[in-house]
Each structure stands twice: as C-alpha cells, then as structure tokens.
Amino acid sequence: MTGRPLTLMAVHAHPDDEATGTGGVLARYAAEGIRTVLVTCTDGGCGDGPGGAKPGDPGHDPAAVALMRRQELQASCEALKISDLEMLDYADSGMMGWPSNDAPGSFWQTPVEEGAARLAELMRHYRPDVVVTYDENGFYGHPDHIQAHRITMAALEMTALTPKVYWTTMPRSMMQRFGEIVREFHEDMPEPDPAEAAAMAEIGLPDDEITTWVDTTAFSGQKFDALAAHASQGENIFFLKMGKERFGELMGMETFVRVQDATGGAVPENDLFAGLR
C-alpha cells in the first residue's frame, strides 16, 4: 500500500550458502518482482584455496581466499538476480573444533549483540517482509551458521518489525534420496560408520514437520549457475557433476519451517509470501 516493494532478506554465513539452500527462492522471488536482499556474515576465508588447499596447508592464504570468494559471491548474485548484497565481513570461523573458532575477530567469537546490532540496522533499512536463516543448530552444526541464527533472531528482537520468519531445513525423505544420489555418483564410497550414519539421519526434519514447500524447479538452472560460480569450493563439485537436469530433479524443492508469522495463514504452505499479497 505504501509503494514499497515486498522484500525477502536471507541471512547466510558464507559465500555459497545462499545458493545451496535458498538459491531457488531468491531467483523465483526476484523474477516475481520482489526485492531480494542477501546478508553474508563472513568472508569465507576458511574455504578451499587453489587446488583444494585447506586452512593451514601450504598455499592457503585466507585473505586471498576471501577475495576470490567475494568475486564468486558477486557472480552468484548476478545469476540469481539478487537485488542487494550486504557483507558483514567477519572472519570465517571454520568448521566446529578448528583452531580458527578461537581466532580474535572470527564470527564465532563476535558477541551476538554486536552482530545483531549491525544486522538490525540493515533490517530497519530494508524492512523485510520475510526473513530466512538457519535453525538453532545451523542445520548441521557449523559455528558460523549457528551464529548467523543467533544474530538474526536477536536483531529481530531489536527492531519493531514483524516479518514472517523461516528457518531452512530439509525433509528426511529428501535427505535419504540425497544419500542415494551420492552413492550413485561415488560407487566406491565406503559405508559410513554407525555414529556418522546416525548423525546424518538426524539432519533435517520429518516430512510432516515441514511447514513450507516452495517449488523452485523452474529456477533450478539459475541455482545451478550460482553454485557453479562458487566452483573453487570442493563441496560444490558433487552438485555440478550432476548436470543441470539431474540437479533440478533433486534440488527443485526448497523447504522451510515457519517460526514467526502475523498473517495467521494455514500450514503447510507453498509460498514464503502467503498472506502478504
């Protein structure tokens, strides 16, 4: 009614996170004329360096990796037609248990109130109608994902805004199918040990606990291109080996849990903006 466009804000931890879990909704809603705002919290400096070099390996320069990943992120945003990119530029904390978790200036070491205050300013500026981030465990326990969740929920409390709020997730049925596809592409892959298999089985949610199923199949090509922009990161190579068609079959549905909503809309729903337009 005010002439302000509907706005989606996605808060992610690293360059490339925007593509895997929310690339489809970002592309779909951009195509529908909705303003799409991506907030990336870290510089990605703990990602893979040239030749797959890991932090601490010869040839891994965190500053150079961060610069490369910023360029890749900008290319991903172009593929997804993201309206606005905001980078908080905290130092990447690495995987849980890495020494980089304790580095001064790392996102994991940043007081939640500090990060939340910066994010709250962006929320006041963009006034998002929908906010998307991770659940309390960062989906799979990554410290920067957990911290992104914490500052997002704290920032919402600092503002007077009442957007619909969603956490990314994946239905257990899709996780099972994903495991089958991985084994199809890696026939020589050893069976995971029981503890690892049990941990994997706990990722995501039972299908009947998913509140929101958004079909983004028509935009899976853009999502694939966004991931391809981050080709320096080894974990993305598996997806790219599928090719666009198989990728779209597996990754064409994006799923969420709705945790805040003032519209009173019923669930399950198939649109993050249900009740807002």
Side-chain angles (χ1 to χ4, degrees):
M1 299 298 290
T2 62
R4 182 181 62 84
L6 286 171
T7 301
L8 166 64
M9 175 179 282
V11 183
H12 281 293
H14 312 98
D16 82 356
D17 290 332
E18 79 290 340
T20 49
T22 58
V25 292
L26 286 164
R28 170 179 164 167
Y29 291 122
E32 293 178 7
I34 289 170
R35 187 176 199 178
T36 51
V37 181
L38 170 62
V39 181
T40 300
C41 296
T42 79
D43 61 8
C46 285
D48 293 351
K54 305 295 183 183
D57 289 349
H60 189 282
D61 178 354
V65 171
L67 176 59
M68 173 183 64
R69 299 196 72 185
R70 177 186 290 268
Q71 294 167 343
E72 292 179 333
L73 179 60
Q74 290 168 341
S76 173
C77 288
E78 291 176 9
L80 299 173
K81 308 300 182 188
I82 290 172
S83 309
D84 301 272
L85 170 63
E86 298 283 354
M87 298 191 70
L88 300 186
D89 264 338
Y90 289 108
D92 190 341
S93 309
M95 299 295 287
M96 189 67 80
W98 286 12
S100 48
N101 294 174
D102 301 321
S106 71
F107 191 36
W108 188 236
Q109 291 299 317
T110 299
V112 170
E113 296 76 12
E114 176 190 322
R118 293 181 61 193
L119 182 56
E121 282 302 305
L122 293 175
M123 289 181 174
R124 294 186 188 103
H125 174 72
Y126 288 107
R127 303 186 65 82
D129 301 280
V130 172
V131 172
V132 175
T133 192
Y134 316 100
D135 62 19
E136 304 101 316
N137 191 46
F139 185 59
Y140 68 98
H142 193 297
D144 287 331
H145 291 224
I146 294 170
Q147 190 76 330
H149 163 86
R150 290 173 176 171
I151 74 163
T152 301
M153 303 312 291
L156 287 163
E157 291 186 5
M158 292 178 179
T159 72
L161 303 174
T162 56
K164 296 178 78 176
V165 179
Y166 293 89
W167 297 341
T168 58
T169 190
M170 188 174 288
R172 297 267 168 82
S173 62
M174 194 180 297
M175 287 296 297
Q176 181 178 354
R177 176 64 179 142
F178 183 74
E180 293 169 356
I181 295 289
V182 171
R183 285 189 290 275
E184 177 185 328
F185 276 81
H186 299 280
E187 295 179 356
D188 58 346
M189 186 174 69
E191 288 293 322
D193 66 63
E196 183 181 339
M200 286 294 293
E202 292 301 312
I203 294 178
L205 290 172
D207 291 35
D208 60 2
E209 293 182 22
I210 307 292
T211 66
T212 312
W213 303 70
V214 184
D215 185 354
T216 63
T217 305
F219 303 92
S220 59
Q222 286 175 253
K223 182 173 178 174
F224 183 93
D225 290 343
L227 268 176
H230 296 288
S232 71
Q233 301 308 298
E235 64 268 22
N236 296 327
I237 301 302
F238 163 71
F239 293 107
L240 301 179
K241 284 182 178 178
M242 290 184 191
K244 284 190 176 182
E245 184 174 348
R246 290 296 302 279
F247 179 83
E249 292 171 3
L250 181 66
M251 306 292 285
M253 183 71 71
E254 294 184 349
T255 50
F256 306 86
V257 174
R258 193 177 78 190
V259 294
Q260 179 175 303
D261 171 49
T263 71
V267 295
E269 61 186 0
N270 59 11
D271 179 8
L272 299 180
F273 288 85
L276 297 174
R277 53 181 177 172

